[in-house]
């Protein structure tokens, strides 16, 4: 999704803005632009394509402005052209603006503005905001003009605004799209996400919904939309800039796959008391009374996080005996779900900014349900809306394809299931101890799985040209069939489908011939024999089998064309191990096909629009 950066400083801001924009590239974009003010006029450029295209055009231009805005655009209204890229300007070219999000009522506003004589240069919804502010600026000072314009807008958005004749003021606003303020020494910043700010400061203020900010070099003023000033002490970011860098890996995705032992270990460390071999969830204390009264769980999420929810359903039902439904957030929000104060709505999101998941949490709150977020980004929108949040500690995930966030989500939801099982007395202390001891071995086992990387690379080389893949699994590993297929589609642009293995004979088996690969997750489990039968059915039709099995298990050797093994663990925890070969397979296929890996076409890291 679009990325906003802004800076006001005692030094020239162009290099700051470019550096910050590069750190937002992971969000996905198709054009970029930049504007500064120098000697009373705007200096700007914007270009379709990658940031380096913009940089090439900036070479030789001597811009030394001390205030500026930058933007990466992910097209929603109008294709990725130079005209549609941000910044956008008012007719009188006194106002420059960058925007993330969607203005829902832009057509009616545009008609009005055209009637008042405004001329538009782009097809975007964004441009109307610049013209609207221009109208209000005729009678008002800059901040009030922006305020009044915002009140006419419907939708979800974050803005950065500059006035040519006020080079000492940068204005930001947040209405349902993220915006973070960075506090520096004699310089201040805004950005859509923290990694953009880290080279310059670790002191940040996460703007709340419906807040605005005025930045001067030496002052930051946060207020509500009516201008009432709010005291917002800054938070210090504890993670380092290197967490948001590749550290020698060719791609963030590969780095993040290899960070999984650490991500799972850190997340486990926050919720497990090693000495007592039990789970502890201090963050749930404020909602404990309500939690004890729940009689039903609905998990809601999108994409990979939804797959984590599907695994969570098996574990929660097994360990707590509560009924659990899992709903894709975009369906949940427009459905008419039966919710009450005894329903726990568990929202899972890496970014905490996914528009559909956020809307689902709001809807659940409105119906009086208890909302709990599982999230990776501290202070993100979903964490503010949910009644309580438990965090995954995966560290920043930059690659669009979610990997370490997924295994951290699995970690947390499994630990939560154990915790609730104990709280509801549906599992014994002994089983908790046994499970926790087993859980603590997982990081080492993930390390062992990562050692199969070269084998998986060879397997990818063998099947790189297959146009279609099937992924199958059962029970706890059924969601990983979806996840493996999603990873492959997303980064290698190869069509893939995930299926419950038992469903093959109800239709998909018709696809199988000697050119068609099926990735079968067939580790030791209660459904192992069933999986072997399903694999046999495919083999009997000459299908190609890539199997994920348990170390030492020979049952599938004679059926599989390629076997990748993972260490033994309980069926319930096995998805944390079996997903890793699937991530690596997708990665190597995509590399071999020359795909861009970290920023797949048409996709964005945080999906902040519907
Ligand atoms: O930030 P979220 O976890 O809410 O994101 C949800 C999905 O957009 C995300 O998991 C998406 O499916 C990934 N690109 C998958 O790799």
């Amino acid at each position: 999704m679009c990325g906003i950066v802004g800076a006001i400083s005692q030094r020239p801001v162009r290099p700051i803005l470019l550096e910050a924009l590069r750190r937002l590239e992971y969000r996905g974009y198709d054009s970029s632009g930049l504007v500064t003010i120098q000697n009373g006029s705007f200096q700007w450029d914007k270009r379709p394509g990658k940031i380096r295209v913009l940089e090439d055009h900036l070479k030789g231009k001597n811009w030394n402005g001390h205030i500026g805005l930058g933007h990466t655009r992910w097209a929603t209204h109008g294709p990725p052209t130079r005209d549609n890229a941000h910044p956008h300007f008012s007719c009188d070219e006194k106002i420059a603006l960058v925007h993330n999000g969607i203005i829902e009522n832009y057509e009616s506003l545009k008609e009005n503005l055209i009637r008042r004589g405004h001329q538009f240069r782009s097809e975007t919804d964004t441009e109307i905001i610049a013209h609207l502010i221009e109208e209000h600026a005729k009678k008002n000072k800059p901040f009030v003009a922006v305020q009044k314009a915002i009140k006419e807008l419907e939708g979800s958005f974050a803005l950065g605004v500059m006035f040519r004749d006020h080079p000492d003021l940068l204005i930001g606003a947040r209405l349902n799209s993220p915006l973070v303020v960075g506090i520096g020494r004699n310089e201040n910043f805004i950005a859509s996400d923290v990694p953009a700010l880290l080279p310059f400061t670790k002191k940040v203020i996460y703007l709340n919904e419906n807040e605005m900010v005025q930045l001067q070099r030496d002052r930051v003023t946060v207020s509500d939309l009516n201008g009432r000033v709010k005291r917002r002490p800054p938070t210090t970011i504890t993670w380092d800039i290197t967490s948001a860098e590749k550290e020698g890996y060719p791609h963030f995705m590969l780095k993040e796959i290899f960070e999984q032992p650490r991500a799972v270990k850190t997340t486990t460390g926050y919720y497990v008391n090693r000495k007592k071999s039990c789970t502890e969830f201090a963050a749930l204390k404020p909602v404990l009374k309500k939690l004890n009264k729940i009689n039903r769980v609905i998990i809601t999420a999108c994409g990979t996080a939804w797959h984590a929810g599907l695994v969570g359903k098996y574990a929660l039902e097994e360990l707590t005996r509560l009924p659990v439904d899992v709903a894709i957030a975009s369906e949940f929000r427009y459905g008419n779900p039966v919710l009450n104060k005894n329903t726990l709505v568990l929202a899972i999101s890496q970014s905490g900014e996914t528009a559909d998941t956020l809307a689902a949490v709001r809807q659940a709150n409105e119906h009086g349900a208890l909302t709990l977020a599982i999230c990776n980004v501290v202070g993100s929108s979903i964490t503010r809306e949910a009644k309580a949040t438990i965090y995954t500690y995966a560290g920043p995930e930059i690659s669009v394809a979610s990997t370490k966030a997924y295994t951290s989500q699995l970690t947390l939801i499994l630990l939560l299931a154990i915790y609730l099982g104990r709280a509801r007395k549906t599992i014994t202390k002994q089983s908790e101890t046994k499970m926790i001891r087993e859980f603590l071995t997982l990081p080492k086992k993930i390390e062992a799985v990562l050692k199969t990387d070269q084998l998986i690379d060879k397997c990818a080389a063998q099947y790189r040209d297959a146009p279609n893949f099937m992924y199958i699994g059962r029970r706890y590993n059924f969601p990983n069939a979806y996840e493996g297929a999603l990873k492959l589609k997303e980064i290698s642009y190869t069509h893939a489908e995930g299926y419950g293995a038992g469903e093959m004979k109800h239709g998909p088996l018709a696809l199988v011939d000697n050119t068609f690969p099926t990735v079968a997750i067939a580790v030791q489990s209660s459904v192992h024999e069933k999986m072997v039968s399903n694999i046999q059915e495919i083999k009997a039709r000459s299908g190609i089998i890539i199997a994920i099995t348990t170390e030492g298990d020979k049952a599938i050797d004679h059926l599989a064309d390629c076997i990748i093994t993972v260490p033994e663990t309980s069926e319930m925890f096995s998805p944390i191990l079996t997903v890793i070969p699937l991530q690596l397979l997708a990665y190597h296929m995509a590399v071999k096909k020359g795909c861009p890996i970290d920023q797949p076409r048409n996709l964005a890291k945080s999906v902040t629009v519907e």
Side-chain angles (χ1 to χ4, degrees):
M1 298 283 119
C2 301
I4 290 177
V5 297
I8 181 162
S9 175
Q10 53 191 350
R11 50 181 170 148
V13 294
R14 184 171 117 182
I16 298 178
L17 296 174
L18 285 169
E19 171 76 32
L21 281 182
R22 270 191 292 271
R23 286 171 190 281
L24 293 183
E25 279 192 297
Y26 73 90
R27 294 166 69 85
Y29 71 104
D30 41 49
S31 39
S32 62
L34 198 134
V35 56
T36 65
I37 304 174
Q38 195 175 333
N39 303 329
S41 63
F42 283 135
Q43 254 105 28
W44 62 270
D45 203 345
K46 49 186 185 175
R47 301 281 163 175
K50 294 289 169 197
I51 293 171
R52 63 174 179 277
V53 178
L54 175 69
E55 280 180 296
D56 284 346
H57 282 89
L58 294 180
K59 274 183 195 145
K61 289 181 182 160
N62 192 20
W63 298 0
N64 291 317
H66 289 205
I67 177 171
L69 291 166
H71 190 264
T72 46
R73 174 173 187 252
W74 188 81
T76 56
H77 297 70
T81 59
R82 188 165 189 228
D83 282 342
N84 288 336
H86 302 206
H88 289 283
F89 298 91
S90 53
C91 290
D92 59 10
E93 301 207 340
K94 288 185 178 178
I95 298 158
L97 173 127
V98 292
H99 160 229
N100 168 26
I102 284 183
I103 307 302
E104 284 163 3
N105 59 338
Y106 87 101
E107 275 172 342
S108 58
L109 289 171
K110 191 169 178 176
E111 276 167 28
N112 271 337
L113 287 161
I114 289 172
R115 271 198 291 276
R116 283 190 236 160
H118 287 264
Q119 287 182 351
F120 287 81
R121 306 171 184 102
S122 77
E123 298 157 77
T124 63
D125 52 343
T126 304
E127 193 185 347
I128 61 116
I129 313 171
H131 296 273
L132 205 55
I133 297 174
E134 180 180 9
E135 278 296 309
H136 289 291
K138 287 177 184 164
K139 292 188 189 146
N140 298 285
K141 291 195 168 149
F143 182 72
V144 177
V146 177
Q147 228 178 8
K148 290 195 181 245
I150 285 176
K151 288 189 176 164
E152 289 189 55
L153 302 175
E154 286 166 19
S156 58
F157 51 88
L159 302 176
V161 190
M162 271 180 0
F163 289 75
R164 189 194 67 191
D165 300 333
H166 297 267
D168 51 354
L169 176 67
L170 200 143
I171 298 172
R174 173 191 173 132
L175 286 94
N176 282 326
S177 287
L179 197 66
V180 189
V181 180
I183 318 281
R185 253 202 207 159
N186 258 323
E187 54 184 8
N188 293 308
F189 315 88
I190 50 171
S192 297
D193 201 358
V194 171
L197 301 173
L198 284 181
F200 319 110
T201 181
K202 284 191 160 190
K203 274 167 64 182
V204 303
I205 299 172
Y206 296 96
L207 283 191
N208 285 327
E209 298 306 349
N210 304 322
E211 281 187 348
M212 296 179 68
V213 64
Q214 299 176 71
L215 300 187
Q216 283 147 327
R217 248 175 25 199
D218 53 357
R219 192 182 312 162
V220 168
T221 315
V222 178
S223 63
D224 65 14
L225 293 185
N226 295 317
R228 270 188 295 268
V229 173
K230 292 186 157 184
R231 215 181 81 66
R232 299 293 310 283
T235 311
T236 304
I237 300 296
T238 48
W239 40 280
D240 205 69
I241 192 164
T242 52
S243 315
E245 284 173 349
K246 287 190 201 144
E247 292 170 12
Y249 284 91
H251 303 102
F252 279 112
M253 183 180 177
L254 191 63
K255 177 189 170 224
E256 288 160 6
I257 290 174
F258 274 82
E259 281 175 343
Q260 291 180 106
R262 195 171 69 206
V264 168
K265 192 174 178 183
T266 312
T267 303
T268 307
Y270 274 89
Y271 303 103
V272 162
N273 182 325
R274 280 171 172 267
K275 275 194 190 145
K276 295 186 187 161
S277 293
C278 70
T279 47
E280 284 176 352
F281 279 84
L284 295 181
K285 266 200 187 128
V287 294
L288 220 45
K289 263 195 189 153
K290 288 186 180 162
L291 200 56
N292 288 336
K293 290 191 185 140
I294 58 164
N295 56 21
R296 183 173 172 228
V297 181
I298 302 180
I299 302 175
T300 188
C302 301
T304 288
W306 176 63
H307 302 155
L310 292 173
V311 175
K313 172 183 164 74
Y314 287 100
L316 282 163
E317 289 190 338
E318 187 168 339
L319 300 182
T320 70
R321 304 310 296 147
L322 283 164
V324 182
D325 290 314
V326 190
I328 295 171
S330 53
E331 291 299 318
F332 178 93
R333 67 181 291 192
Y334 292 115
N336 191 3
V338 181
L339 300 167
N340 61 42
K341 63 180 177 11
N342 297 324
T343 315
L344 170 67
V345 173
L346 185 57
I348 310 177
S349 173
Q350 186 285 129
S351 61
E353 301 296 346
T354 302
D356 285 321
T357 313
L358 181 60
V361 172
R362 286 186 178 143
Q363 196 192 17
N365 280 338
E366 276 162 26
H367 285 80
L370 171 60
T371 49
L372 172 62
I374 287 184
C375 191
N376 196 41
V377 179
V378 177
S380 54
S381 303
I382 289 172
T383 68
R384 290 143 194 262
E385 295 284 336
K387 294 281 180 285
T389 299
I390 45 180
Y391 285 101
T392 47
Y393 290 89
E397 192 179 63
I398 307 293
S399 177
V400 165
S402 187
T403 54
K404 63 175 180 171
Y406 179 61
T407 40
S408 303
Q409 287 160 354
L410 291 179
T411 299
L412 192 40
I413 202 158
L414 292 172
L415 292 174
L416 180 69
I418 298 172
Y419 172 81
L420 291 177
R422 274 301 287 145
R424 300 175 64 80
K425 300 196 172 50
T426 39
I427 61 167
T428 61
K429 173 71 192 128
Q430 287 91 313
S431 19
E432 180 181 37
T433 306
K434 190 167 168 241
M435 281 191 270
I436 294 302
R437 288 194 181 142
E438 173 59 23
F439 214 98
L440 292 170
T441 66
L442 289 175
K444 278 265 171 287
K445 291 179 179 171
I446 299 173
E447 277 171 21
V449 184
L450 289 169
K451 291 196 178 122
T452 60
D453 184 38
Q454 279 186 0
L455 176 64
I456 297 170
D457 188 23
K458 276 192 199 144
C459 178
Q462 213 171 333
Y463 301 112
R464 57 176 275 181
D465 296 325
N468 301 293
F469 274 70
M470 179 65 72
Y471 286 71
I472 56 170
R474 277 176 176 259
R475 279 195 92 212
Y476 282 94
N477 279 294
F478 163 44
N480 269 359
Y482 283 164
E483 177 59 9
L486 175 62
K487 286 288 95 86
L488 192 70
K489 281 187 266 223
E490 178 174 36
I491 61 160
S492 79
Y493 312 154
T494 302
H495 171 246
E497 280 188 70
Y499 254 91
E503 275 291 291
M504 285 299 282
K505 55 173 103 45
H506 297 287
L509 207 51
L511 293 167
V512 173
D513 63 14
N514 61 2
T515 63
F516 188 84
T518 297
V519 181
I521 312 164
V523 285
Q524 282 301 333
S525 69
S526 59
V527 285
H528 183 253
E529 276 176 28
K530 304 281 169 207
M531 274 306 295
V532 176
S533 305
N534 296 138
I535 292 172
Q536 261 156 351
E537 286 157 10
I538 294 168
K539 211 59 217 171
R541 274 112 194 137
S542 307
I544 300 162
I545 296 288
I546 300 167
I548 317 292
T549 64
T550 306
E551 275 169 15
D553 176 14
K554 303 283 172 216
I556 294 154
D557 282 10
H558 65 293
L559 296 171
D561 300 272
C562 173
I563 292 196
I564 299 141
T565 60
V566 301
E568 194 174 356
T569 188
S570 71
E571 181 177 0
M572 189 184 284
F573 302 160
S574 65
I576 294 182
L577 302 184
T578 58
V579 74
I580 288 159
L582 310 183
Q583 297 166 344
L584 286 167
L585 182 66
Y587 173 78
H588 289 299
M589 290 271 295
V591 170
K592 290 182 197 320
K593 292 177 84 176
C595 298
I597 313 289
D598 287 329
Q599 291 153 39
R601 68 183 176 207
N602 308 336
L603 298 182
K605 182 66 181 163
S606 309
V607 185
T608 53
V609 294
E610 275 192 74

